Amino acid sequence: MEFMGDKDKVYDSILPATTYYPELALSEFQSLFHFLSNETEESLLQQVRVARIMTHRELLAAMSPFESLNELSLAQFGDIDTAATLYKQAVFSLAADFIISNQLSTDTTKDAAERQEALTQKAEHCSVQYRRAIDLLINAHETYRIEVI
């Protein structure tokens, strides 16, 4: 049996910085989220790309008065690191949610049924992390409580 991806390999792909946002290294994503499935570098990169696009769209209005994420961070948090940390948390959590949700939809064997609940909880946790990071970036504080029911 041959695996499509090697979960132990550290990938070196980077999404370049944009006008507002920092570069995102796939290796940083891998260090934060470990998957039991064997995702290819291109597969992980595609999920991070889509998550980044969605995050940028959500932050569009919040970013418009600022020249950069660092400027937003200084205005909202009094430092230049907090917003970048929250931005990466948002993008990476959303990408992880995509990957886990894909695992859930394709992993339907009898043996996999035992993992479904744990995967569902992990996906929900990633979704909450994304939403909290976005809320903090937009409002500089949490404006609502997120509970998974």
Side-chain angles (χ1 to χ4, degrees):
M1 183 158 113
E2 191 173 316
F3 293 108
M4 289 176 51
D6 180 356
K7 63 186 170 200
D8 296 322
K9 182 178 184 201
V10 176
Y11 299 131
D12 58 0
S13 292
I14 293 175
L15 292 176
T18 66
T19 302
Y20 288 120
Y21 304 105
E23 74 177 25
L24 295 173
L26 205 52
S27 60
E28 188 174 358
F29 174 77
Q30 287 179 283
S31 72
L32 297 171
F33 296 94
H34 303 280
F35 296 99
L36 295 177
S37 63
N38 291 295
E39 300 291 333
T40 64
E41 182 171 11
E42 189 53 41
S43 172
L44 289 177
L45 190 58
Q46 178 63 17
Q47 298 306 327
V48 173
R49 277 188 199 115
V50 172
R52 186 180 194 186
I53 291 165
M54 292 176 72
T55 300
H56 289 184
R57 296 302 300 168
E58 283 227 39
L59 296 176
L60 198 57
M63 287 301 297
S64 64
F66 302 102
E67 296 294 319
S68 68
L69 192 61
N70 286 348
E71 194 177 300
L72 175 135
S73 193
L74 280 170
Q76 300 275 50
F77 306 106
D79 64 54
I80 60 168
D81 298 323
T82 301
T85 299
L86 291 169
Y87 168 76
K88 287 180 182 182
Q89 181 70 29
V91 173
F92 290 160
S93 292
L94 188 57
D97 181 41
F98 293 160
I99 293 164
I100 295 166
S101 295
N102 188 50
Q103 276 183 283
L104 282 168
S105 68
T106 59
D107 201 5
T108 57
T109 65
K110 182 181 176 189
D111 293 335
E114 296 175 9
R115 294 189 300 267
Q116 293 291 326
E117 183 61 31
L119 286 172
T120 299
Q121 288 177 1
K122 180 64 176 173
E124 289 170 351
H125 177 72
C126 289
S127 182
V128 168
Q129 285 182 310
Y130 168 76
R131 187 54 44 212
R132 290 178 77 188
I134 291 292
D135 190 31
L136 284 166
L137 282 167
I138 292 171
N139 301 299
H141 64 279
E142 291 187 78
T143 60
Y144 53 90
R145 182 180 170 106
I146 301 168
E147 292 186 33
V148 178
I149 300 174

